[in-house]
Amino acid sequence: MKGKFIVLEGIDGCGKTTQINELYKWLPKSGLINKNRTLIKTREPGGSFLGKEIRDMILNNNKLNSPSILTELLLYSADRAEHISKVILPALQNGHWIISDRFSGSTLAYQGYGREISIDIIKKLENIVCQNIKPDLTIFLEISPEESILRRKNKVADRIESEGLDFLKKVNHGFKLIALENNWEIIKASEDLTSIADQIQKLLINKFSLNK
Ligand code: T5A
């Protein structure tokens, strides 16, 4: 039996990590996952052994040695290829469940709409990288770029987070278009943590309940 692949997407600080941690506590008790299967919590970039090194390379805030935008795209793609081959694909083939903080939608939003690399090129690259793997469910946590910046004001920004408001606006616009085009579930993530967690749980029950 194939496992399930669930992805949370959104701009920086929208609450993906917070909600994935909530899901990671709730899902094993939910009755949705078969008893002999496990739940894997992962992220991009950095979900594989090699990916951790790629993550450091991409997010390192050394302005003098920033990668070109094409190199940046290829590094995110290399991270994803490794993540899929070594973590996601084997887990799904063995019936396990995966929740991932970001996936290919982030590349379309950040490198496509944010950096303005051709969407067509990114989609072609993703076809190679993703090896026919598609999430069973993607949830877009939607907050405004202004709120994103406010939420992260006490945190040291990584290289991508340092791009500022205008960049974030382009990425957010991209995420909204991608979400509509791909029928992602959209949740207003400016609400309180518990209400968002409840909405995510309801979505999963509706989609994956064995009684349906
Ligand atoms: N990237 C990634 C690309 O450019 N291309 C790609 O292909 C991929 C995969 C990755 C960076 O790389 C870029 C995107 C990113 O810039 P990351 O580690 O995923 O980096 O970074 P972020 O998404 O920026 O991670 P953050 O941890 O900053 O954001 P989260 O996980 O969305 O948010 P979270 O849960 O850590 O919450 C942020 C803050 O808000 C509070 C939390 O307590 C925390 O302080 N918060 C709330 N406050 C009020 N109400 C709520 N409902 C809240 N929920 C959380």
Side-chain angles (χ1 to χ4, degrees), residues 65-158:
N65 290 306
S66 289
S68 73
I69 59 170
L70 180 59
T71 308
E72 181 184 281
L73 168 66
L74 294 172
L75 285 170
Y76 278 115
S77 299
D79 170 73
R80 183 160 308 120
E82 188 70 4
H83 192 206
I84 290 174
S85 301
K86 300 281 176 64
V87 179
I88 298 175
L89 198 51
L92 290 178
Q93 281 168 343
N94 286 304
H96 302 303
W97 284 48
I98 300 168
I99 42 178
S100 183
D101 190 333
R102 300 191 182 282
F103 191 59
S104 56
S106 282
T107 308
L108 267 180
Y110 282 84
Q111 280 63 53
Y113 289 88
R115 300 288 195 218
E116 300 180 18
I117 299 177
S118 151
I119 299 288
D120 193 42
I121 289 178
I122 295 180
K123 284 187 174 168
K124 283 186 179 134
L125 188 57
E126 289 303 303
N127 270 342
I128 301 167
V129 167
C130 289
Q131 304 166 56
N132 289 325
I133 294 289
K134 286 200 180 95
D136 295 284
L137 173 67
T138 300
I139 300 170
F140 172 41
L141 297 182
E142 188 184 358
I143 58 165
S144 68
E146 290 79 6
E147 189 167 356
S148 157
I149 287 174
L150 201 65
R151 278 190 189 178
R152 293 179 290 110
K153 67 176 189 303
N154 296 324
K155 192 186 154 203
V156 179
D158 64 37

Side-chain angles (χ1 to χ4, degrees), residues 12-13 15-18 55 76 102 107 111 155 161 191:
D12 310 72
K16 294 175 283 72
T17 312
T18 306
R55 181 182 174 91
Y76 278 115
R102 300 191 182 282
T107 308
Q111 280 63 53
K155 192 186 154 203
E161 288 169 344
E191 295 177 18

Side-chain angles (χ1 to χ4, degrees), residues 152-170:
R152 293 179 290 110
K153 67 176 189 303
N154 296 324
K155 192 186 154 203
V156 179
D158 64 37
R159 195 177 58 80
I160 305 281
E161 288 169 344
S162 307
E163 291 291 336
L165 186 61
D166 286 346
F167 178 76
L168 215 48
K169 282 183 176 169
K170 289 196 283 180

